[in-house]
Amino acid sequence: MSDERTANAPTMWMATVRPNGTPHLVPIWFVVVDEKWYFATDPNSVKARNLQHNPAIAISLEDGMNPYVIEGNAIVVRPTAKVVEQFKKKYDWDVNDDDDYVLFEVTVKRKVLG
């Protein structure tokens, strides 16, 4: 289950690493279910291609005065009913109805809260 901050944050900032070692930082919609973070993206996007090469990821919520940063690894997964429900609740979007996206699950390895 997500906490109030993750439930109410409209986007997260996500950093991945390009194959040449340079960072790639983007905002993206997300949900948190059972301590795992989920986001959907085009499988041909820079972030998806980066994660295929290197699953390491860093995520931050937008509030820089009250840090919430996690580090972990992301893999492509099928959406569970709980994940679909949370995307629908938060964004009024059914991730199952969009064949142009793949769903990534982030397993948290490190968390820094302010």
Side-chain angles (χ1 to χ4, degrees):
M1 176 171 271
S2 63
D3 63 29
E4 185 176 334
R5 288 180 68 192
T6 60
N8 293 330
T11 59
M12 66 179 184
W13 283 92
M14 178 177 71
T16 59
V17 181
R18 291 182 179 97
N20 69 4
T22 60
H24 176 67
L25 180 66
V26 294
I28 192 166
W29 286 0
F30 74 101
V31 297
V32 178
V33 177
D34 297 330
E35 303 295 321
K36 296 194 186 239
W37 294 54
Y38 296 88
F39 64 92
T41 190
D42 181 317
N44 296 311
S45 67
V46 172
K47 56 192 159 293
R49 292 192 321 264
N50 290 348
L51 290 168
Q52 290 170 4
H53 176 76
N54 179 349
I57 190 169
I59 295 169
S60 176
L61 297 184
E62 294 177 343
D63 183 357
M65 299 304 289
N66 191 14
Y68 195 129
V69 179
I70 66 165
E71 296 172 355
N73 289 316
I75 60 169
V76 173
V77 296
R78 290 181 174 267
T80 65
K82 286 173 83 173
V83 171
V84 171
E85 176 186 336
Q86 289 304 309
F87 270 105
K88 184 74 170 159
K89 180 179 174 183
K90 190 171 183 179
Y91 301 106
D92 192 27
W93 178 48
D94 187 338
V95 294
N96 282 328
D97 288 347
D98 206 329
D99 293 336
D100 295 331
Y101 289 87
V102 292
L103 183 73
F104 281 86
E105 175 185 89
V106 178
T107 300
V108 177
K109 303 250 184 218
R110 181 172 180 255
K111 185 186 302 188
V112 178
L113 304 177

